[in-house]
Amino acid sequence: MSSKIDVVLGLQWGDEGKGKIVDVLAGRYPAVARFQGGPNAGHSLHFDGKSFVVRSIPSGIFREGSVNIIGNGVVFDPVTFREECSQIEKLGVTPKDKVLISKKAHLILPTHRLLDAASEAAAGRGKIGSTLKGIGPTYTDKIARHGLRVGDILAPDFKERFEKLKARHIQMINDLHYECDPSKDEAAWMDAIEFVKQFKLVDCEYFVNSWLESKPMLAEGAQGSMLDVDYGSYPFVTSSSTTIGGVCTGLGVAPSRVGKVYGIFKAYCTRVGSGPFPTELFDETGERLRQIGHEYGAVTGRPRRCGWLDLVALRYTVMLNGVTDLIMMKSDCLDDFDSIKVCTSYKVDGKETKELPYDISAPIEPVYTEFKGWKRDLTGVRDENELPKEFEEYIKFMESYLGVPISIISLGPDRDATIER
Ligand code: IMO
Ligand code: MG
């Protein structure tokens, strides 16, 4: 009997709490795989009084006996990876025994990062607000067929190929009139490449498919569906397919192999970086959400923009991903609110719609439905039957609007603060 690959992916603009949920679910999946993105991700885990942020390594890493795969859809920075490994080792886990890297994952060079910075600087007010980890330039090289892949580090002419790509990048950086020292981080990068050679570099597609012959796997999305290169708020997006199709291309699995699709969302919305955000709040409610939810970037420390939950956008991403199970995060952050709003339609050019317009940068007036707050501390609740009736009504409304059950409710950052329904 063959098994399925279940998927956890973010339904908003990232930072939904994927790390925590993958860590919780990883107890049931002997293997976890990242299929896209790179160290622009920052997935926070909290367990046994410890906290940790993973970047490229799947969030299953702290589960005993887990296998953690960095798939070919990922862009891989050896320097960040090495740092991440040494932090993990401090917690008594040996990544070398538990992490596999796809040979077909593309390498982020030091000059990719510089190019990221150069193009953001040149974009002025139109900048994306990138995490500056070199994500966009690396995927650009992949699609343009100039990229270097993890498997190439074993080739005898690796250094020459590196130099060739670097020279190309330097040309582009000069064209953008960006001042920097292109060789600055090269020695550390080459050192990190040697470090990576100790790991199992695999043909991920063979590994994943043969694993699925007998055991299940969990795919861990990074970023969120509203940052998807095709369906997100383009051009203010990341450069990968964060939606369900990314699982197939990023790991080499067929759609028929995909089982459950867990879609994860916060009970409100956040966004880091530039780009449209219809329900953004610029008032003290927004600031209150930021403070209560500790909404500061796990990677960059930037304050996150905050706003009410946007069900129009959420229903769109539920549809795109064929979500089978919803996971709601951080509703405990709303415990103190007298009333809670959710956006249930948009007013565009005076007309009301429940569909996402082509250009969400154009003026949109969110139309809200208001709910009475439950005004109770829910962080200690572990039994579904102890949830207040106001909370139940709020959940019921969302399930009916979205047409998918909310199977997991998270009421705090810790592994244990989770209710399964
Ligand atoms: P996790 O996995 C939130 C945002 C950046 C920027 C845009 C493009 O932790 O949810 P990039 O560096 O990818 O070129 O930046 O995407 N962004 C994220 N926002 N969470 C993330 O990851 C993100 N990764 C990228 O802020 O607006
Ligand atoms: Mg994050």
Side-chain angles (χ1 to χ4, degrees):
M1 257 314 268
S2 63
S3 302
K4 292 281 188 188
I5 182 158
D6 293 345
V7 182
V8 171
L9 40 77
L11 298 178
Q12 296 162 319
W13 279 282
D15 304 325
E16 296 91 350
K18 297 175 287 290
K20 161 173 169 166
I21 287 304
V22 171
D23 175 58
V24 168
L25 294 176
R28 281 164 238 177
Y29 297 87
V32 182
R34 278 277 306 268
F35 56 91
Q36 48 66 237
N40 49 348
H43 296 175
S44 307
L45 319 178
H46 304 268
F47 55 94
D48 307 334
K50 289 175 240 172
S51 291
F52 199 87
V53 179
V54 286
R55 309 285 304 280
S56 307
I57 295 178
S59 300
I61 187 74
F62 293 107
R63 289 291 186 175
E64 214 175 304
S66 64
V67 172
N68 296 273
I69 302 140
I70 298 176
N72 49 276
V74 170
V75 286
F76 181 79
D77 180 347
V79 175
T80 324
F81 175 73
R82 184 188 196 164
E83 277 164 22
E84 211 176 323
C85 286
S86 77
Q87 296 297 326
I88 289 169
E89 266 173 27
K90 284 188 194 146
L91 295 182
V93 172
T94 312
K96 200 153 52 82
D97 302 340
K98 303 177 81 172
V99 176
L100 308 178
I101 309 167
S102 168
K103 287 187 209 160
K104 295 191 177 75
H106 277 248
L107 287 169
I108 302 177
L109 271 57
T111 41
H112 278 128
R113 278 174 172 247
L114 295 173
L115 264 176
D116 216 353
S119 60
E120 284 282 78
R125 286 190 49 183
K127 71 177 184 152
I128 308 290
S130 150
T131 59
L132 303 179
K133 305 298 172 206
I135 306 295
T138 308
Y139 279 117
T140 302
D141 274 342
K142 172 177 176 173
I143 301 299
R145 299 164 294 184
H146 299 298
L148 279 176
R149 302 186 292 177
V150 169
D152 298 335
I153 67 176
L154 305 172
D157 63 346
F158 175 65
K159 192 79 205 305
E160 286 132 67
R161 288 160 74 180
F162 172 88
E163 290 298 338
K164 195 168 157 211
L165 189 54
K166 181 178 139 192
R168 206 186 149 80
H169 291 164
I170 291 173
Q171 181 67 51
M172 292 161 80
I173 290 166
N174 290 342
D175 288 348
L176 289 165
H177 307 293
Y178 185 74
E179 299 242 345
C180 60
D181 171 7
S183 301
K184 188 174 134 263
D185 299 319
E186 194 174 315
W189 192 87
M190 284 295 173
D191 244 28
I193 287 289
E194 290 307 310
F195 173 79
V196 170
K197 287 182 183 166
Q198 312 163 39
F199 284 76
K200 285 193 196 97
L201 309 182
V202 296
D203 293 306
C204 162
E205 59 280 34
Y206 278 113
F207 181 87
V208 170
N209 281 287
S210 79
W211 180 278
L212 290 174
E213 284 304 314
S214 56
K215 284 169 283 193
M217 185 178 287
L218 186 66
E220 173 180 6
Q223 290 80 54
S225 301
M226 290 302 287
L227 290 170
D228 183 89
V229 68
D230 284 280
Y231 300 105
S233 43
Y234 193 87
F236 300 99
V237 293
T238 190
S239 299
S240 66
S241 292
T242 60
T243 46
I244 191 73
V247 177
C248 298
T249 54
L251 292 172
V253 287
S256 55
R257 285 288 197 183
V258 175
K260 282 184 182 207
V261 181
Y262 292 100
I264 173 164
F265 70 101
K266 276 196 284 218
Y268 50 93
C269 277
T270 63
R271 171 160 208 176
V272 257
S274 335
F277 179 2
T279 62
E280 182 168 14
L281 292 168
F282 300 94
D283 58 6
E284 60 186 36
T285 307
E287 184 54 35
R288 198 168 157 204
L289 286 170
R290 185 173 308 116
Q291 294 310 327
I292 299 176
H294 307 289
E295 296 297 350
Y296 295 89
V299 174
T300 56
R302 293 180 289 179
R304 296 180 183 142
R305 301 155 62 192
C306 296
W308 292 118
L309 181 62
D310 183 344
L311 286 182
V312 177
L314 196 56
R315 200 167 68 155
Y316 176 67
T317 56
V318 164
M319 170 188 84
L320 285 176
N321 293 301
V323 171
T324 60
D325 295 74
L326 283 163
I327 303 178
M328 184 169 71
M329 309 301 289
K330 290 185 121 171
S331 47
D332 52 296
C333 295
L334 303 176
D335 285 354
D336 264 342
F337 284 72
D338 294 324
S339 82
I340 293 155
K341 289 187 186 174
V342 294
C343 167
T344 42
S345 62
Y346 291 166
K347 233 183 215 165
V348 185
D349 290 331
K351 275 198 225 109
E352 214 166 304
T353 175
K354 288 190 163 64
E355 289 189 5
L356 215 70
Y358 167 70
D359 180 9
I360 66 166
S361 301
I364 288 175
E365 186 194 324
V367 178
Y368 291 105
T369 300
E370 206 162 334
F371 291 84
K372 193 166 172 283
W374 43 89
K375 302 283 282 179
R376 236 183 75 192
D377 178 2
L378 295 188
T379 49
V381 178
R382 297 289 175 270
D383 177 356
E384 194 195 341
N385 300 314
E386 280 167 28
L387 291 168
K389 93 173 181 318
E390 290 87 351
F391 187 82
E392 271 175 14
E393 265 162 35
Y394 169 76
I395 299 267
K396 238 190 241 154
F397 178 85
M398 282 195 283
E399 288 184 325
S400 110
Y401 188 104
L402 298 167
V404 181
I406 300 180
S407 318
I408 300 178
I409 299 171
S410 165
L411 296 170
D414 207 78
R415 252 183 207 171
D416 303 330
T418 312
I419 296 180
E420 292 202 42
R421 303 165 80 216

